[in-house]
């Protein structure tokens, strides 16, 4: 079991999870596929040893599923709950029909501009670092694919969605773009990743479960690098 899913808790970075797995196993070569922000939880695919970290991209290149909570009526500098918020004055609260039409318009191949506070590198420096230095940056839109979006609930200002995507989609950016199209503003208030390719939340282990199973040797990890 050298590639497996961890249920990442809110508050930890993806690198924090990797560090914890290294500490539990005593193995330095650990990697993750598909970063989750600290405020997000859910499926984070982990690989152990050089052989399997080199193959990781092949295991996580399938569809990803998310449960996303969007807060309308605000703009956030980071497109999520961590940023500075600015309330948007709106003329009319969008009704359910308008919200559904807007949400469905993002299904398919779309051009999405990543959040400025992202790990995308500009001249070798992550965009979020340049933003923290108060530099002016411009990220170019990228073509990504969104397979499906379902509205789970909507009571203004809260919109909850189930989103199925291909690689490279920023759910923060989707929340921002939905808010812009509704003329309300919007940011990602909560996110849970429920599936990455064949790895599901039901099969994912908490870090505590992984540590317990590893210590009891009920998880076999090939430590040969």
């Amino acid at each position: 079991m050298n590639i497996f899913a961890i249920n990442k808790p809110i508050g930890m970075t993806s690198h924090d999870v990797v560090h914890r797995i290294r500490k539990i196993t005593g193995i330095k070569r650990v990697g993750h596929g598909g970063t989750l922000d600290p405020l997000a939880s859910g499926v984070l695919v982990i690989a152990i040893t050089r052989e399997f970290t080199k193959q990781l991209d092949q295991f996580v290149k399938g569809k990803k599923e998310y449960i996303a909570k969007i807060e309308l009526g605000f703009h956030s500098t980071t497109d999520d709950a961590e940023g500075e918020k600015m309330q948007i004055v709106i003329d009319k609260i969008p009704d359910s029909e308008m919200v559904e039409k807007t949400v469905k318009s993002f299904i398919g191949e779309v051009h999405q501009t990543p959040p400025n506070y992202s790990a995308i590198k500009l001249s070798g420096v992550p965009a979020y670092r340049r933003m923290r230095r108060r530099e002016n940056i411009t990220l170019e839109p990228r073509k990504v694919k969104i397979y499906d979006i379902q509205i789970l609930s909507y009571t203004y200002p809260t919109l909850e969605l189930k989103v199925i995507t291909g690689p490279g989609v920023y759910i923060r950016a989707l929340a921002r773009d939905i808010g812009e199209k509704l003329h309300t503003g919007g940011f990602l208030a909560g996110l849970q990743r429920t599936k990455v390719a064949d790895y599901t939340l039901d099969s994912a282990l908490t870090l505590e479960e992984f540590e317990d199973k590893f210590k009891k040797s009920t998880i076999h990890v090939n430590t040969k690098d």
Side-chain angles (χ1 to χ4, degrees):
M1 186 178 177
N2 283 61
I3 298 183
F4 53 93
I6 288 291
N7 184 357
K8 188 192 88 66
I10 293 172
M12 294 184 76
T13 66
S14 297
H15 183 72
D16 289 339
V17 174
V18 167
H19 179 74
R20 179 78 177 275
I21 296 294
R22 286 172 179 160
K23 189 174 181 180
I24 292 169
T25 62
I27 301 169
K28 291 184 178 180
R29 181 68 70 168
V30 179
H32 67 81
T35 301
L36 279 176
D37 293 332
L39 293 183
S41 65
V43 177
L44 183 68
V45 180
I46 296 290
I48 298 178
T49 71
R50 183 188 303 272
E51 177 188 353
F52 289 92
T53 54
K54 288 170 66 176
Q55 301 177 48
L56 190 52
D57 286 348
Q58 298 300 314
F59 285 88
V60 300
K61 67 179 182 180
K63 295 179 181 179
K64 299 176 182 179
E65 295 183 5
Y66 300 88
I67 303 298
K69 180 181 177 182
I70 299 172
E71 193 77 5
L72 302 174
F74 292 87
H75 169 75
S76 167
T77 54
T78 59
D79 299 326
D80 65 9
E82 284 191 317
E84 295 180 13
K85 317 293 191 308
M86 181 178 70
Q87 189 166 7
I88 306 297
V89 178
I90 64 172
D91 297 325
K92 181 183 178 182
I93 292 176
D95 59 25
S96 297
E97 184 178 348
M98 180 182 297
V99 170
E100 183 167 5
K101 182 179 179 181
T102 298
V103 165
K104 295 299 184 184
S105 71
F106 288 92
I107 296 174
E109 287 193 342
V110 296
H111 285 88
Q112 184 185 75
T113 302
N116 284 338
Y117 282 88
S118 66
I120 292 175
K121 291 184 177 180
L122 299 172
S123 300
V125 180
Y128 68 84
R129 289 187 183 173
R130 292 188 177 274
M131 289 296 295
R132 288 170 183 167
R133 295 174 187 170
R134 300 188 182 278
E135 298 179 19
N136 292 322
I137 67 171
T138 301
L139 296 179
E140 296 298 325
R142 305 185 304 175
K143 185 181 286 188
V144 296
K145 188 165 186 178
I146 297 176
Y147 289 95
D148 192 30
I149 309 177
Q150 299 175 26
I151 297 175
L152 300 180
S153 65
Y154 170 58
T155 303
Y156 189 86
T158 303
L159 172 63
E160 189 173 23
L161 306 174
K162 177 181 179 181
V163 186
I164 302 175
T165 78
V169 175
Y170 281 89
I171 307 298
R172 281 187 288 150
L174 177 63
R176 175 201 66 207
D177 294 345
I178 288 173
E180 287 182 358
K181 199 162 186 177
L182 287 170
H183 304 292
T184 62
F187 68 88
L188 186 65
L191 183 68
Q192 182 183 52
R193 187 157 65 193
T194 54
K195 188 176 182 181
V196 176
D198 294 329
Y199 298 90
T200 65
L201 192 60
D202 289 341
S203 63
L205 299 172
T206 66
L207 284 166
E208 292 75 19
E209 288 171 340
F210 176 83
E211 183 171 16
D212 183 63
K213 288 177 180 292
F214 184 79
K215 287 180 177 179
K216 291 179 179 178
S217 298
T218 55
I219 287 180
H220 175 70
V221 175
N222 180 7
T223 59
K224 185 178 179 181
D225 206 343

